Amino acid sequence: MVSVNFISPIKNSMKALYNSVPSHVVSKQNILSGVEYIGRKWTSPQQRVAMGATAIVLQPIIDYNNKNVDDKTKKVSVARTVAKILVGTATGFVVRYLCIKGIKTCSVPFKDIPETTKPLVKKIKTFFTPKNMQRGNEDALEQYRNAMGTLLSLNVMLFTNFLIDAPLTKLLTNSIIKHHIDNKTDKEEAKK
């Protein structure tokens, strides 16, 4: 068990950090409602797409402007980065989405299962249903499903990273290099 003496300095440091951040009031109601919507409705698949979109805009520029390497290395680095981002975003989105849908299928509230349902089907449909779930608390059930689906997807992605992401990234990187970098280099050399 962690003693209170250990937690207290951490708590005080966090409080001081929080208090040091200047407060800012956003007056536009539509901005606030947009932020609230994103906070409530965006689950890990949408967050993965947002991270991928940010990465595809920023990371290739950073790689291309690396002054410590030659031009050919820059281009190959950009190709590899673009391939990693595209494949990682696509597989990350699909795996997260399917895991959340799978958890949703296996967490049907007990009250929503008809009495005529076969015992095995009932067991599968309620396998992840929380036992102490109260009626009328659909928002909490949705948050539970999203969290469980995200946890499941993190475990699934331990395998998909090696079985799907790595081979597809290599394939896409080689394709980009072959079609865009090598062809362009050949055309430039032919002009000389």
Side-chain angles (χ1 to χ4, degrees), residues 20-191:
S20 68
V21 175
S23 63
H24 181 70
V25 178
V26 178
S27 60
K28 301 282 186 181
Q29 185 59 35
N30 57 352
I31 294 173
L32 290 174
S33 61
V35 169
E36 182 181 352
Y37 175 81
I38 289 171
R40 289 189 179 279
K41 298 297 181 183
W42 278 25
T43 58
S44 61
Q46 291 89 356
Q47 293 166 2
R48 182 64 185 106
V49 170
M51 286 187 342
T54 304
I56 199 75
V57 169
L58 298 176
Q59 193 61 44
I61 295 169
I62 293 169
D63 287 350
Y64 191 75
N65 289 313
N66 184 357
K67 293 178 178 155
N68 297 326
V69 295
D70 63 347
D71 285 343
K72 176 91 172 163
T73 305
K74 283 182 188 181
K75 291 175 183 176
V76 171
S77 177
V78 169
R80 194 173 87 234
T81 298
V82 167
K84 284 167 69 174
I85 292 168
L86 292 176
V87 170
T89 300
T91 57
F93 174 81
V94 169
V95 169
R96 285 171 171 91
Y97 179 80
L98 291 176
C99 287
I100 289 173
K101 286 295 180 189
I103 292 293
K104 189 174 185 176
T105 302
C106 296
S107 63
V108 177
F110 297 107
K111 64 180 172 64
D112 293 345
I113 305 268
E115 292 294 325
T116 58
T117 305
K118 294 182 179 180
L120 180 61
V121 174
K122 187 175 187 176
K123 191 172 220 173
I124 291 170
K125 286 189 168 207
T126 60
F127 188 76
F128 287 109
T129 305
K131 302 287 186 225
N132 60 352
M133 190 182 78
Q134 297 177 0
R135 292 180 185 256
N137 203 353
E138 285 76 23
D139 188 47
L141 179 62
E142 194 65 28
Q143 296 298 325
Y144 167 80
R145 288 171 171 167
N146 291 336
M148 288 296 291
T150 300
L151 287 173
L152 178 64
S153 69
L154 291 175
N155 289 306
V156 169
M157 285 186 288
L158 291 173
F159 301 100
T160 61
N161 282 342
F162 298 105
L163 298 173
I164 298 172
D165 285 20
L168 281 178
T169 299
K170 183 178 179 183
L171 189 71
L172 186 58
T173 300
N174 291 339
S175 176
I176 291 171
I177 290 170
K178 180 181 176 185
H179 289 48
H180 296 285
I181 296 173
D182 289 344
N183 285 345
K184 201 173 194 181
T185 306
D186 293 341
K187 288 177 184 176
E188 288 173 1
E189 287 179 7
K191 287 181 182 178

